[in-house]
Amino acid sequence: MMQVWGSLLIFIVCPLLGGLPLISWITYALTQKKLKDLGTGNISVSAAFYHGGRVVGILAVLSEAFKGIAAVVLARAFFPENSEWEIVALIALVVGRFWIGKGAGTTNVVWGYGVHDPIAALLVFIIGGIGFTILREKRQGRAAILILFPLITSLLHPQESALIVMTIALGCLMGWIYTQIPDDLDLKAETAQKESQSMFQFFRGDRAIVSLNQTLQSQKAGSKAATLSHLKRLGYPVPDGWVLFPGDDPQPLIELLDPSEQEPLVVRSSAIGEDSESASAAGQYETILNITRREELLPAIARCLASYDRSAAVQYRRDRGTPDASMVVLIQKQIRGVFSGVAFSRDPVARQGDEVAIEALPGEATRVVSGRVTPESYRVRVQDAPESWVLPDDRPLEIEGSGDVPPQLIQQVAWLARHLESQFQGVPQDIEWTFDGETLWLLQARSITTLVPIWTRKIAAEVIPGVIRPLTWSINRPLTCGVWGQIFTIVLGKRATGLDFTETATLHYSQAYFNASLLGQIFLRMGLPPESLEFLTRGAKFSKPPLASTLKNIPGLLKLVGQELQLQRDFERDDRQQFSPFLKETLQPAELSVGELLTRINLILDLLKIATYYSILAPLSAAVRKALLKVPDEQIDQGGTPEVSALRELQRVAIAAQPILKGSDVFAELAQTAEGRQVLDQFEQVLHRYGYLSEVGTDIAVPTWRENPQPIRNLFAQFCRSPLTPTIPQRRKSSVQRRFDLKGRVTEVYSRLLAELRGCFVSLETLWLKSGTLTESGDIFFLEWAEVWQVAQSGEILNRLPALIAQRRSQFTQDSQLTQIPAIVYGEDPPTPRLQNWSSSQQLQGIGASPGQVEGRIKVLRSLSTATEIDSNTILVVPYTDSGWAPLLARAGGLISEVGGRLSHGAIVAREYRIPAVMDIHNATQIFHDGQQVRIDGQRGTIEIL
């Protein structure tokens, strides 16, 4: 009876076990790829290795080995005396693997047979390995193995006829299955010559012929071939091609290729170092076109190889510091183009904006890149990041330029170029293309070397907004870059080697930009997507990081998590031991000498190094916890943030003044009564308590509220005339709320330290104005900190100070008057910002930061000093929002900001007062004008011009 149940289990469980799609599950879990939709659609171990990589392949082997071993163990448990049932179980397993799991079951059989008869399996392995070495052909090797299984079984067990028959049956079944299922290793060598699917996957000499369908590494095959291989496997329309490595015998490949007048070939270079981000080597090596006879291939290959040693090519490599390496030859099908050209996913001359630059002509691409004819020039505006390289029919693009090339083709080329850019982490791409009347072919793609690195204001404009003077930047940059470097090094460890964290940020147009190229490299090394920083700081969408690469960073990430978990305790310790004792001092900078001021400045800078760590990690910690726990904005009380707390205090005092006021002159009327003077005292207390805040909290060149209280007095007067009651969320004792409270405390400490630092520099400037070292108020902020120290210590640059300060002041003034600052800058030498000629849309899309809809009239404010009467019908348009803007924003009916995100100062205040807000509208202060009627939707992030 037990054997009856055993046979039923074998014929039911084993096919189901074979069909269990463990390989598909593993591959999708680690790579998000569905094997059934890739290549041959074969769900096999080789497909897992090919499409998923080494880790996925090893796990796939283990999963299939488990199946084979499990089937044999199951049969052995029910039929311990009948070993043929173990082979029957393997046959049932293979049937299920083929019919249900769409695989051959080779791995199942190998491991199962190894458990069934280890001695026979070892002999098969040894003899089969020797045979494969001799034959050097995979299919013949497979056939030999299938024959060896029953042959060795009959030699070792001549009396067990049933076992021999079952082994023969298993071999026949496997042989038949091999004829039905294509192997993904063969897929690597597919070519357009479909009548000979496998002809490029065989061994000749010591090396297989390699095609662009295979995975190629740039350090071995050159960037050109590796990139085309990568793009071809992603599904882009790349012509078929084959690669000859240095030392390869070209004859086997030549014998298999059959060029003709109808299907010519082209021989191209793919030198190591060519088409890299540091050197394009455009035109340095020879390309041989129109090869129509087999006899022409060998001379063409020789010419291409010889071009590597031409004097011009050698000098080019020397000029760019590219070491001599080797030439890889790429042979491709040549496309007969009806229209051809080149495209730059970003205009390499303008270096800003959304334009794709295209040059094109009728005919083949060589006419455009040769430089012997003047091509037609086009500029196409592509604002969105394409999800597919094929332009949808309902997405017409704006074009500048006209000529013989059809506009629809120009739009498609632009869309393809921008989609390619997204495939390379946003690095602008230079592509060569051709259109044969039916298909748009991609002939080449490489980074535009002059547009690297990429600089972005998307993050920096929120952290360090507005135009920045040299002294502020010389202090902020090393502090900020140093802390980011510290955080990244914790995660990366030794893999941080070679990354220069001092290049994290720079100034363009006197405004801060972050190095998006460097940050992209950092995040890729961390196993995170390049947009991670925008997720952490601005609430942008965060794509799922690849699990395999993230696993490499687990030790570093755990260290960073440990830092985050003890963040509160560490801050409490440093606040108790260092911050609070210093901030409680009553020392007045105006009473200090130059030497004493320098000593105090150094002390503050040391404290700021510690405080900057908390000022970066605390907001990131709060944002990550909020996102992971999915806590709505409305449930977070931002009252711990100084600007929000100051706003509430100011509002409370204004409400207390209401019973006293009857006229419009608030301060004069309050001063007339004892009760009113008490209200004024409360106002002064608020001003004293928060006097360290300023219009730009991170800029020590901007006066604090204590130094310039008039804007706050004006706002207090407005509050008194029409007070508002803020909506304060009910405080919840949660880890997220505690992190936001910590963020508020850190912001207060950091802002107070900056105010103290400003006070020291103002006092130092006063002394130097008296001594004649400086001539005008504000001069000291046009020096860098190292220069200030040098003047104080040695006076070596005293004779250069007037000209140096005048030049920097002039540049600062010029940059302050720029009306349109690009959000993205490409390369190290950005051009002067220019107005774009595109027609403005009636609806703009930004980041919805505070829900609600409102219609109103626009009031553009570029600084607090231009603030005038504002009411609930006013839609404020501002360049950015910082600590000092908070009281003003509370008076408006809505907010539009050029930069910022859901956790920015403006968004926090807007949500507290239930004011709709839209952030991240580029050049908003130029697009809108005073009195303009608009409707904003703070939920969807849209602005409609009425």
Side-chain angles (χ1 to χ4, degrees):
M1 188 67 181
M2 180 178 176
Q3 291 184 342
V4 173
W5 282 108
S7 60
L8 288 174
L9 282 174
I10 287 173
F11 288 118
I12 295 175
V13 172
C14 287
L16 293 177
L17 181 63
L20 197 65
L22 294 181
I23 293 178
S24 291
W25 293 346
I26 291 169
T27 305
Y28 184 77
L30 295 183
T31 68
Q32 307 299 303
K33 293 180 179 179
K34 296 181 179 179
L35 289 180
K36 65 182 180 65
D37 299 329
L38 298 172
T40 61
N42 183 13
I43 312 299
S44 66
V45 168
S46 60
F49 269 106
Y50 180 61
H51 297 292
R54 183 178 299 175
V55 173
V56 173
I58 291 173
L59 292 176
V61 169
L62 294 176
S63 69
E64 293 305 300
F66 161 77
K67 290 182 182 180
I69 295 170
V72 171
V73 170
L74 177 66
R76 187 172 293 174
F78 287 99
F79 301 97
E81 303 299 329
N82 303 97
S83 59
E84 64 270 15
W85 275 98
E86 296 176 12
I87 303 299
V88 171
L90 286 177
I91 292 174
L93 185 74
V94 169
V95 169
R97 181 79 178 87
F98 174 69
W99 289 108
I100 305 175
K102 307 301 181 183
T106 304
T107 307
N108 308 131
V109 171
V110 168
W111 286 84
Y113 194 83
V115 174
H116 161 72
D117 193 336
I119 296 176
L122 179 62
L123 290 173
V124 169
F125 175 77
I126 294 173
I127 298 172
I130 294 172
F132 181 76
T133 302
I134 296 172
L135 295 172
R136 304 300 297 270
E137 213 291 318
K138 185 169 61 177
R139 286 177 174 76
Q140 294 179 15
R142 277 179 176 173
I145 296 294
L146 295 178
I147 294 171
L148 283 173
F149 270 122
L151 180 61
I152 292 178
T153 298
S154 63
L155 292 174
L156 294 179
H157 309 282
Q159 305 302 321
E160 299 184 36
S161 57
L163 175 62
I164 296 171
V165 170
M166 289 297 100
T167 307
I168 293 173
L170 176 61
C172 293
L173 174 63
M174 295 295 295
W176 178 78
I177 289 175
Y178 286 150
T179 66
Q180 304 301 310
I181 293 183
D183 194 332
D184 276 77
L185 294 176
D186 290 331
L187 174 65
K188 289 183 178 183
E190 276 187 11
T191 70
Q193 300 178 10
K194 298 193 177 189
E195 68 277 7
S196 182
Q197 292 289 329
S198 63
M199 81 175 169
F200 294 118
Q201 185 62 34
F202 70 101
F203 286 88
R204 294 288 181 91
D206 292 327
R207 196 190 289 271
I209 292 176
V210 178
S211 79
L212 289 182
N213 293 299
Q214 295 173 249
T215 302
L216 301 177
Q217 303 298 324
S218 59
Q219 61 268 31
K220 295 181 179 180
S223 293
K224 181 184 295 182
T227 299
L228 290 175
S229 162
H230 175 65
L231 295 176
K232 188 171 179 61
R233 287 181 293 108
L234 287 176
Y236 288 94
V238 175
D240 291 320
W242 305 268
V243 176
L244 284 174
F245 293 97
D248 276 2
D249 179 6
Q251 203 57 43
L253 177 59
I254 291 174
E255 291 175 2
L256 293 171
L257 297 176
D258 189 20
S260 65
E261 292 286 346
Q262 292 72 34
E263 295 187 350
L265 297 174
V266 56
V267 174
R268 313 173 65 191
S269 64
S270 182
I272 309 300
E274 182 182 2
D275 284 358
S276 66
E277 289 192 8
S278 59
S280 66
Q284 296 300 319
Y285 308 117
E286 188 163 4
T287 296
I288 299 90
L289 298 164
N290 300 314
I291 296 174
T292 57
R293 294 184 303 117
R294 184 177 294 167
E295 294 76 14
E296 297 172 351
L297 274 171
L298 187 58
I301 293 170
R303 284 172 57 189
C304 184
L305 288 170
S307 68
Y308 189 79
D309 296 319
R310 291 192 305 195
S311 58
V314 172
Q315 188 63 45
Y316 178 89
R317 294 195 296 272
R318 289 176 181 171
D319 292 342
R320 281 149 187 81
T322 304
D324 289 336
S326 55
M327 171 70 83
V328 176
V329 175
L330 174 62
I331 303 174
Q332 282 186 278
K333 280 192 169 184
Q334 182 176 334
I335 306 300
R336 299 290 195 185
V338 179
F339 297 101
S340 306
V342 294
F344 304 93
S345 64
R346 301 283 171 172
D347 191 327
V349 178
R351 298 187 180 217
Q352 56 180 291
D354 297 320
E355 305 98 34
V356 176
I358 299 174
E359 294 183 346
L361 279 175
E364 297 186 0
T366 51
R367 295 187 64 211
V368 179
V369 299
S370 68
R372 297 179 181 178
V373 293
T374 301
E376 300 170 1
S377 295
Y378 302 87
R379 287 169 63 234
V380 185
R381 191 184 192 191
V382 183
Q383 290 181 290
D384 302 326
E387 296 182 1
S388 166
W389 71 268
V390 179
L391 177 66
D393 294 334
D394 60 348
R395 293 295 302 274
L397 304 175
E398 300 173 78
I399 302 176
E400 282 188 2
S402 60
D404 295 330
V405 184
Q408 296 86 348
L409 177 58
I410 293 297
Q411 294 179 57
Q412 177 61 76
V413 170
W415 198 257
L416 169 63
R418 187 59 57 80
H419 190 265
L420 274 168
E421 178 182 290
S422 67
Q423 291 290 338
F424 292 94
Q425 292 79 50
V427 176
Q429 296 294 301
D430 166 4
I431 72 169
E432 188 177 324
W433 58 272
T434 191
F435 177 67
D436 64 3
E438 296 182 359
T439 302
L440 173 61
W441 294 94
L442 180 60
L443 305 181
Q444 188 167 318
R446 62 188 174 207
S447 301
I448 304 178
T449 55
T450 58
L451 299 188
V452 179
I454 305 169
W455 302 96
T456 176
R457 284 185 71 237
K458 285 179 178 286
I459 308 160
E462 179 65 22
V463 178
I464 314 175
V467 286
I468 302 170
R469 294 166 181 81
L471 182 59
T472 297
W473 186 244
S474 68
I475 291 171
N476 279 359
R477 182 173 183 259
L479 289 174
T480 304
C481 295
V483 170
W484 278 118
Q486 177 184 348
I487 292 173
F488 293 139
T489 303
I490 290 173
V491 178
L492 292 173
K494 293 182 179 179
R495 282 173 293 121
T497 303
L499 296 174
D500 186 358
F501 296 112
T502 63
E503 297 299 319
T504 304
T506 194
L507 282 185
H508 291 307
Y509 318 112
S510 296
Q511 306 216 21
Y513 283 79
F514 279 2
N515 189 334
S517 301
L518 176 60
L519 294 176
Q521 291 180 45
I522 292 170
F523 286 128
L524 287 174
R525 293 193 190 189
M526 292 172 64
L528 300 172
E531 71 274 14
S532 304
L533 189 59
E534 289 194 45
F535 161 75
L536 295 173
T537 57
R538 301 173 63 251
K541 291 181 68 176
F542 182 69
S543 63
K544 186 177 180 180
L547 180 59
S549 58
T550 303
L551 290 174
K552 300 177 184 177
N553 295 284
I554 284 181
L557 290 172
L558 289 177
K559 288 181 182 178
L560 187 59
V561 170
Q563 299 278 94
E564 192 277 340
L565 292 175
Q566 62 184 20
L567 192 64
Q568 178 91 34
R569 186 184 64 187
D570 289 347
F571 176 76
E572 296 284 357
R573 180 201 62 216
D574 288 332
D575 186 35
R576 182 176 61 256
Q577 296 177 359
Q578 302 191 66
F579 302 141
S580 291
F582 175 81
L583 293 172
K584 288 177 181 177
E585 292 181 359
T586 57
L587 191 64
Q588 296 299 316
E591 300 173 357
L592 303 179
S593 66
V594 171
E596 291 170 332
L597 285 170
L598 291 176
T599 300
R600 187 169 178 81
I601 288 171
N602 276 318
L603 175 59
I604 296 173
L605 291 177
D606 288 339
L607 292 174
L608 278 171
K609 288 180 182 178
I610 304 171
T612 302
Y613 168 78
Y614 295 110
S615 73
I616 289 178
L617 203 56
L620 297 188
S621 169
V624 170
R625 290 192 179 208
K626 178 179 177 295
L628 292 177
L629 297 177
K630 299 181 179 180
V631 178
D633 296 327
E634 297 76 15
Q635 293 183 11
I636 302 297
D637 181 11
Q638 301 277 2
T641 306
E643 58 266 27
V644 175
S645 180
L647 189 64
R648 292 179 182 176
E649 288 292 309
L650 207 63
Q651 189 67 58
R652 180 185 59 80
V653 176
I655 292 173
Q658 280 296 296
I660 306 171
L661 296 173
K662 294 182 174 57
S664 58
D665 193 343
V666 172
F667 284 90
E669 191 171 351
L670 289 174
Q672 293 175 2
T673 64
E675 188 178 6
R677 287 192 290 273
Q678 289 181 353
V679 172
L680 289 178
D681 287 342
Q682 294 176 27
F683 169 76
E684 292 298 329
Q685 291 172 13
V686 173
L687 184 59
H688 177 76
R689 169 72 179 84
Y690 298 101
Y692 58 84
L693 295 174
S694 69
E695 180 179 338
V696 184
T698 53
D699 192 348
I700 61 173
V702 177
T704 62
W705 288 1
R706 188 177 295 116
E707 296 173 81
N708 181 27
Q710 191 57 46
I712 308 307
R713 290 171 61 89
N714 294 341
L715 291 169
F716 175 67
Q718 291 186 32
F719 277 166
C720 288
R721 285 191 288 270
S722 55
L724 293 174
T725 302
T727 302
I728 302 175
Q730 182 179 357
R731 293 186 64 84
R732 301 169 182 263
K733 293 183 179 180
S734 66
S735 64
V736 177
Q737 183 61 61
R738 285 193 294 271
R739 274 296 181 266
F740 276 92
D741 292 342
L742 175 62
K743 172 190 170 187
R745 292 183 60 194
V746 169
T747 302
E748 179 180 351
V749 167
Y750 192 76
S751 299
R752 290 181 65 185
L753 287 173
L754 288 177
E756 291 287 339
L757 186 63
R758 171 179 166 78
C760 290
F761 280 115
V762 169
S763 297
L764 184 59
E765 181 184 59
T766 301
L767 293 176
W768 282 352
L769 287 172
K770 290 179 181 178
S771 66
T773 303
L774 300 177
T775 58
E776 186 179 344
S777 177
D779 275 356
I780 197 169
F781 295 106
F782 290 98
L783 297 175
E784 296 180 357
W785 165 232
E787 295 166 343
V788 171
W789 181 266
Q790 191 176 4
V791 170
Q793 295 297 314
S794 63
E796 289 182 6
I797 65 169
L798 280 175
N799 60 331
R800 296 190 288 113
L801 279 186
L804 183 64
I805 292 173
Q807 185 271 328
R808 289 176 179 173
R809 190 184 286 274
S810 174
Q811 185 64 54
F812 181 83
T813 302
Q814 179 181 334
D815 290 340
S816 299
Q817 294 173 349
L818 293 174
T819 57
Q820 286 199 348
I821 304 298
I824 304 291
V825 167
Y826 296 91
E828 298 287 7
D829 186 24
T832 301
R834 59 176 175 77
L835 290 173
Q836 298 186 20
N837 299 322
W838 312 110
S839 58
S840 61
S841 172
Q842 290 299 109
Q843 181 169 303
L844 294 94
Q845 180 69 54
I847 296 176
S850 180
Q853 294 183 347
V854 65
E855 291 185 16
R857 63 182 183 278
I858 289 292
K859 176 61 181 178
V860 178
L861 289 180
R862 295 184 177 86
S863 68
L864 271 177
S865 60
T866 60
T868 57
E869 293 292 326
I870 295 170
D871 56 31
S872 58
N873 292 319
T874 303
I875 307 295
L876 277 182
V877 178
V878 299
Y880 57 86
T881 56
D882 204 87
S883 307
W885 292 79
L888 177 63
L889 301 179
R891 305 295 307 144
L895 172 67
I896 300 170
S897 178
E898 291 189 336
V899 299
R902 295 181 179 89
L903 298 179
S904 63
H905 299 288
I908 292 169
V909 175
R911 286 195 297 271
E912 182 154 318
Y913 283 86
R914 297 187 178 180
I915 300 167
V918 178
M919 322 299 283
D920 200 38
I921 299 295
H922 299 169
N923 302 314
T925 57
Q926 302 304 315
I927 295 173
F928 299 102
H929 54 80
D930 288 350
Q932 197 172 17
Q933 287 291 125
V934 299
R935 179 188 298 116
I936 70 174
D937 187 326
Q939 180 71 40
R940 296 188 298 137
T942 58
I943 304 169
E944 185 179 357
I945 302 174
L946 303 177

